[in-house]
Amino acid sequence: MNSKSAIGMFDSGVGGLTVVREVTRLLPEEEIIYFGDTARFPYGSQAPSRIVEYSKENATFLLSQGVKALVMACNTCSAHAYELLQESLSLPIVDVIAPGAKKAVAATQSGHVAVLGTSGTISSLAYQKAIEKENPAVRVTAIACPLLAPLVEERLFHHPATELIAAEYLKSILKSDVDTLLLGCTHYPMLQPILQKIVGNSVSIVNSASACAEELVCVLQEKKLARASSGQIAAHRYFVTDDLKKFQDLAQSFLPGIQGEFSLASL
Ligand code: DGL
């Protein structure tokens, strides 16, 4: 593998496409091989040991494709398996948690950040620890939102039911001094308009997908693995473990006009 090789990314389903979107915006010339484990979605409510196994398998699949770097485009995987993959693999790995935490800490003025994530991500305390590491004075309210990723997978981005459920999750922070809302799940940027409507414009929303893409740019440059700019948008390949048609339809909502090769993968 060299700078011309592709970047490998994985998620439990379509959520990681919000990371693809940000990476394509910053690095249009980079080829991406995306792996969505749609057969085993959702990851957010499963045991940490299972998420570790899935993460290892997903990484092995991408390594077999010859990728030059790995992006864990899933907060639940990042929370449970980032350190382990980093210790066991020799290629650069970028997760979503540390970059998101850093961006949220930089954004808050009141010193109070709320983090939304899957049950697995929130109960792992990964964000709470990452924010504390950045700045121990910043307070964190962490909220598990197990229904949000499935609502995104059902494309109910603007549905009243989604708004009702999101408002229920957010009610504890509405009259607080939280001024920064960190989206700690790669599915949630699709709900940003609804979430912003609920929390109001005085709260800034930080997206861990864009923070992760910015980190990837730095890592590729540092490791001399960035592709020379060709002025052309690179080809992307998408692999999923189930229901290719549903993935393709959803992908159009995430990335309108998305192009690339779509295939079923078996692990
Ligand atoms: N996109 C995944 C994440 O960032 C979560 C969705 C799931 O529960 O599988 O955590």
Side-chain angles (χ1 to χ4, degrees), residues 11-16 40-46 51 72-78 96 117-119 121 146 149-150 153 184-188 208:
D11 180 48
S12 57
V14 286
R40 300 189 289 199
F41 173 87
Y43 279 10
S45 48
Q46 300 191 50
I51 302 308
M72 299 176 80
C74 172
N75 289 261
T76 312
C77 295
S78 300
V96 267
T118 64
S119 306
T121 299
E153 296 265 337
C185 172
T186 52
H187 282 70
Y188 300 172
S208 65

Side-chain angles (χ1 to χ4, degrees), residues 58-138:
N58 301 346
T60 303
F61 176 85
L62 288 166
L63 287 174
S64 75
Q65 303 291 315
V67 298
K68 63 181 175 187
L70 210 53
V71 175
M72 299 176 80
C74 172
N75 289 261
T76 312
C77 295
S78 300
H80 296 305
Y82 173 63
E83 277 157 29
L84 191 131
L85 288 193
Q86 235 198 355
E87 279 160 24
S88 55
L89 303 174
S90 55
L91 81 177
I93 306 178
V94 177
D95 77 324
V96 267
I97 291 182
K102 198 170 169 182
K103 211 169 170 177
V105 167
T108 183
Q109 299 286 318
S110 68
H112 192 177
V113 171
V115 186
L116 309 185
T118 64
S119 306
T121 299
I122 298 303
S123 60
S124 75
L125 304 181
Y127 269 111
Q128 294 90 322
K129 287 181 192 156
I131 290 174
E132 191 182 6
K133 200 167 155 200
E134 283 296 323
N135 183 349
V138 171

Side-chain angles (χ1 to χ4, degrees), residues 24-263:
T24 310
R25 200 168 53 78
L26 298 180
L27 301 166
E29 61 281 351
E30 294 287 351
E31 193 184 320
I32 293 171
I33 301 180
Y34 183 91
F35 180 87
D37 193 7
T38 46
R40 300 189 289 199
F41 173 87
Y43 279 10
S45 48
Q46 300 191 50
S49 56
R50 242 189 232 149
I51 302 308
V52 169
E53 276 320 299
Y54 296 168
S55 300
K56 283 200 245 172
E57 288 170 6
N58 301 346
T60 303
F61 176 85
L62 288 166
L63 287 174
S64 75
Q65 303 291 315
V67 298
K68 63 181 175 187
L70 210 53
V71 175
M72 299 176 80
C74 172
N75 289 261
T76 312
C77 295
S78 300
H80 296 305
Y82 173 63
E83 277 157 29
L84 191 131
L85 288 193
Q86 235 198 355
E87 279 160 24
S88 55
L89 303 174
S90 55
L91 81 177
I93 306 178
V94 177
D95 77 324
V96 267
I97 291 182
K102 198 170 169 182
K103 211 169 170 177
V105 167
T108 183
Q109 299 286 318
S110 68
H112 192 177
V113 171
V115 186
L116 309 185
T118 64
S119 306
T121 299
I122 298 303
S123 60
S124 75
L125 304 181
Y127 269 111
Q128 294 90 322
K129 287 181 192 156
I131 290 174
E132 191 182 6
K133 200 167 155 200
E134 283 296 323
N135 183 349
V138 171
R139 281 173 302 138
V140 184
T141 296
I143 307 171
C145 307
L147 295 175
L148 294 189
L151 287 165
V152 169
E153 296 265 337
E154 291 307 320
R155 272 203 276 188
L156 299 173
F157 313 127
H158 305 285
H159 197 278
T162 307
E163 188 170 341
L164 202 72
I165 290 165
E168 182 63 27
Y169 286 138
L170 290 165
K171 73 175 183 212
S172 68
I173 60 158
L174 288 186
K175 287 191 185 109
S176 73
D177 60 347
V178 164
D179 69 348
T180 305
L181 183 64
L182 174 54
L183 306 187
C185 172
T186 52
H187 282 70
Y188 300 172
M190 296 306 288
L191 303 178
Q192 189 155 336
I194 272 193
L195 297 172
Q196 191 78 69
K197 186 174 158 200
I198 296 167
V199 294
N201 288 333
S202 59
V203 175
S204 22
I205 296 189
V206 171
N207 171 344
S208 65
S210 61
C212 165
E214 286 157 22
E215 176 68 13
L216 178 66
V217 173
C218 298
V219 169
L220 292 181
Q221 271 162 8
E222 194 185 296
K223 305 277 180 201
K224 304 210 175 339
L225 282 172
R227 256 196 194 198
S229 174
S230 60
Q232 282 183 344
I233 299 182
H236 295 174
R237 273 179 288 158
Y238 299 90
F239 292 93
V240 291
T241 46
D242 195 16
D243 209 341
L244 190 57
K245 171 80 176 64
K246 183 179 176 198
F247 180 85
Q248 281 177 294
D249 290 347
L250 264 164
Q252 286 298 338
S253 306
F254 277 66
L255 297 162
I258 185 173
Q259 282 185 358
E261 223 178 279
F262 291 81
S263 321

